[in-house]
Amino acid sequence: IMYSSNDWADFWRNQVGANVIPACSKTKIPKVTWKEWQEKPIPQEVHDTWKRTNAFKDGLAIICGKVFHNEQFKGMLVNAIDCDDKAGVDTICSHDVEKTAQGTLVEQHANKNKCHVLCYSKKPLKNRAILQDDKAPKIEIKSMGKHLLYCAGGYHKDGSLIDIVGTKKIKIIDSTDLEKQLDEILKPFEKSSVVN
């Protein structure tokens, strides 16, 4: 099934429950200011206006953080683990991407050395970015309403479609357990990327 950009906007809003904004996915530039939507829900009429004016045609982004639009997950946070190289993908999807994608929502585009893994949690995850250290897996943790995730329904800068690999359902995780795992993986690199 080919979804339209408006269908994707509805999916991210209604199924996932996140605030979704129009953006140019290829250039990773939001088309609207989004600071005001970090802590409060985007009203239905604003979302509908964006759809009516075709604002999502160049892509979209979700605001990682509070779930506002899906009663089942209200009060939780939607988090994204953004893996930006093969080492990052191998670290987070330890078996393989397809296996991980059976348990929770995973997105990829043509470059299979990158992916997004999404999860719900009751408590926010610590925002992290390990992108500078050449030896480290390139992983970014997006949570707490501070980060955008350019997601399925848009195109990557390489021109390929960002799409969901397996299930469209997002798993609820224990944030304490995940933080411990992330600490084990990332702590050595977090220290080495600090300039003395």
Side-chain angles (χ1 to χ4, degrees), residues 135-190:
K135 293 185 237 22
K138 290 189 173 34
I139 296 171
E140 221 179 327
I141 311 298
K142 300 177 176 189
S143 184
M144 294 196 266
K146 305 272 191 295
H147 295 280
L148 292 176
L149 183 73
Y150 296 87
C151 51
Y155 288 87
H156 186 258
K157 67 181 176 209
D158 67 9
S160 67
L161 190 65
I162 303 166
D163 207 358
I164 293 171
V165 179
T167 181
K168 286 188 165 75
K169 302 257 183 271
I170 297 179
K171 182 179 179 177
I172 299 169
I173 54 103
D174 181 314
S175 52
T176 310
D177 289 348
L178 183 59
E179 287 289 12
K180 272 187 204 147
Q181 289 173 336
L182 291 168
D183 277 343
E184 281 171 30
I185 298 162
L186 302 176
K187 263 288 192 294
F189 302 112
E190 284 177 323

